[in-house]
């Protein structure tokens, strides 16, 4: 069985007295070293735990950054070794390194979400695609230039993310939307057993209540005023108004479904069509206000 530990590479001391922090892998008496991006003095490092602990030299945020990187990297190596022990009777140290390098390229949130966005686009699930895209954009604003890995998503990180959204002026339902999408992304990554997701449940204690939205219905008189408004001198406004009224009269038919309507969608006194988003067949009774708009714009198509 291979072993992995965190060590200081004493043979490569820098001029400032620090040493590279490395992952030390041994298998069948063969040794390999994976370098981390950090260098530490010997007095700042506890080899038994692999932690930088001396606050005299590092501020708390930097300590947490180093410790999180080292602990998640070591956990990743242990999971790879355990999996190889379970699935392969014989494996080499190069197999461990290959699996680790693969996991490093597959433990980041952004590439995984970009893949989900592409898959949703190909499948025609544009609503899902837009949900992923807006959530990714929000995450990138929060993280600034730093890459987000799945191992970074902890209960504490989620609290910070929610706090950021509140300070940015997001409403409760917007915050709930982003956290739900992020949870769905994490669950998908977990089903694929991506690094940083296995046997982890950071969303378990996250509780956000759905706020009942304020009613924004307009009065019947307002709709009547809009219908009677003379817009003959502005054809663009007139068309926009008529499309809105047609949707209103037709039980809120979405704009994309209006744009796709054809003459043969009219069957007697009913408008028959399939939702562009879901494919669901629907029928709407046509009354005089809708028929007047249809006659106004009716053409051969």
């Amino acid at each position: 069985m291979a072993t992995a530990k965190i060590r200081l590479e004493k043979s490569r001391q820098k001029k400032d007295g620090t040493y590279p922090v490395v992952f030390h892998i041994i298998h069948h008496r063969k040794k390999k070293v994976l370098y981390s991006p950090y260098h530490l003095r010997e007095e700042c490092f506890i080899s038994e735990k692999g932690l930088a602990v001396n606050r005299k030299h590092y501020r708390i945020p930097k300590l947490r950054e180093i410790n999180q990187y080292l602990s998640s990297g070591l956990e990743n190596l242990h999971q790879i070794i355990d999996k190889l022990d379970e699935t392969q009777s014989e494996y080499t140290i190069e197999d461990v390194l290959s699996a680790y390098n693969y996991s490093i390229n597959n433990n980041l949130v952004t590439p995984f979400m970009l893949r989900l966005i592409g898959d949703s686009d190909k499948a025609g699930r544009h609503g899902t695609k837009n949900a992923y895209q807006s959530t990714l954009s929000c995450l990138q604003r929060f993280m600034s230039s730093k890459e987000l890995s799945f191992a970074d998503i902890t209960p504490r990180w989620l609290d910070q993310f929610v706090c950021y959204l509140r300070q940015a002026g997001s409403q409760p339902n917007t915050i709930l939307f982003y956290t739900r999408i992020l949870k769905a992304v994490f669950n998908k990554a977990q089903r694929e057993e991506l690094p940083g997701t296995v046997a982890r449940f950071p969303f378990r204690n996250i509780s956000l209540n759905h706020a009942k939205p304020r009613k924004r219905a307009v009065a019947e008189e307002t709709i009547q005023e809009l219908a009677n408004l003379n817009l003959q001198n502005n054809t663009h406004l007139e068309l926009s108004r008529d499309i809105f009224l047609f949707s209103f009269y037709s039980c809120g038919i979405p704009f994309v479904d209006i744009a796709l309507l054809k003459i043969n969608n009219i069957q007697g006194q009913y408008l028959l069509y399939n939702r562009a988003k879901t494919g669901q067949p629907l029928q709407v009774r046509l009354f005089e206000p809708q028929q007047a708009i249809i006659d106004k714009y009716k053409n051969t198509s």
Side-chain angles (χ1 to χ4, degrees), residues 246 266 268-271 284-288 290-291 294:
F246 186 83
I266 301 174
Q269 293 184 319
Y270 288 89
L271 181 67
V284 176
R285 177 75 182 272
L286 291 176
F287 293 97
E288 191 278 329
Q290 297 132 290
Q291 191 61 55
I294 290 173

Side-chain angles (χ1 to χ4, degrees), residues 98-121:
S98 177
Y100 180 81
N101 289 330
Y102 173 82
S103 69
I104 288 298
N105 293 326
N106 287 273
N107 70 342
L108 299 178
V109 174
T110 295
F112 184 71
M113 289 192 71
L114 289 174
R115 195 187 89 193
L116 295 180
I117 290 168
D119 292 344
S120 300
D121 188 41

Side-chain angles (χ1 to χ4, degrees), residues 183-202:
K183 181 180 180 180
V185 169
F186 190 91
N187 289 343
K188 285 178 179 291
Q190 195 171 62
R191 286 194 290 271
E192 296 187 21
E193 298 185 349
L194 294 190
T197 66
V198 179
R200 293 184 61 241
F201 307 95

Side-chain angles (χ1 to χ4, degrees), residues 75-264:
E75 178 188 4
N76 188 10
L77 282 167
H78 286 160
Q79 289 175 352
I80 288 170
I81 292 169
D82 289 343
K83 196 167 186 178
L84 288 171
D85 285 332
E86 291 175 4
T87 59
Q88 299 186 32
S89 57
E90 290 293 332
Y91 62 90
T92 66
I93 197 168
E94 283 74 20
D95 293 328
V96 178
L97 296 179
S98 177
Y100 180 81
N101 289 330
Y102 173 82
S103 69
I104 288 298
N105 293 326
N106 287 273
N107 70 342
L108 299 178
V109 174
T110 295
F112 184 71
M113 289 192 71
L114 289 174
R115 195 187 89 193
L116 295 180
I117 290 168
D119 292 344
S120 300
D121 188 41
K122 290 177 183 177
R125 299 193 301 272
H126 302 298
T128 304
K129 170 194 169 185
N130 292 337
Y132 287 143
Q133 185 65 68
S134 61
T135 303
L136 177 58
S137 298
C138 182
L139 288 172
Q140 289 173 334
R141 289 193 298 272
F142 173 58
M143 297 299 294
S144 186
S145 59
K146 183 181 177 183
E147 287 283 5
L148 176 67
S149 71
F150 287 108
D152 292 328
I153 301 177
T154 63
R156 185 175 182 277
W157 181 92
L158 287 168
D159 287 341
Q160 293 173 335
F161 180 53
V162 170
C163 183
Y164 161 80
L165 293 173
R166 285 174 178 153
Q167 291 176 346
S170 298
Q171 297 300 309
N173 288 346
T174 302
I175 297 173
L176 182 63
F177 168 80
Y178 285 134
T179 53
R180 280 183 172 175
I181 295 299
L182 184 57
K183 181 180 180 180
V185 169
F186 190 91
N187 289 343
K188 285 178 179 291
Q190 195 171 62
R191 286 194 290 271
E192 296 187 21
E193 298 185 349
L194 294 190
T197 66
V198 179
R200 293 184 61 241
F201 307 95
F203 294 85
R204 177 179 291 165
N205 296 319
I206 293 294
S207 178
L208 293 170
N209 295 323
H210 181 83
K212 189 175 182 180
R214 177 176 59 86
K215 290 186 177 181
R216 292 175 290 178
V218 298
E220 182 181 347
E221 292 77 13
T222 304
I223 298 295
Q224 193 61 53
E225 288 178 11
L226 187 60
N228 295 333
L229 197 61
N230 186 353
L231 296 172
Q232 291 183 351
N233 294 328
N234 193 323
T235 55
H236 292 297
L237 277 181
E238 185 178 23
L239 176 60
S240 299
R241 186 270 312 274
D242 291 344
I243 291 174
F244 167 77
L245 289 176
F246 186 83
S247 174
F248 174 78
Y249 297 143
S250 305
C251 303
I253 175 174
F255 171 77
V256 64
D257 294 330
I258 295 177
L260 296 174
L261 289 177
K262 296 182 180 296
I263 291 294
N264 56 17

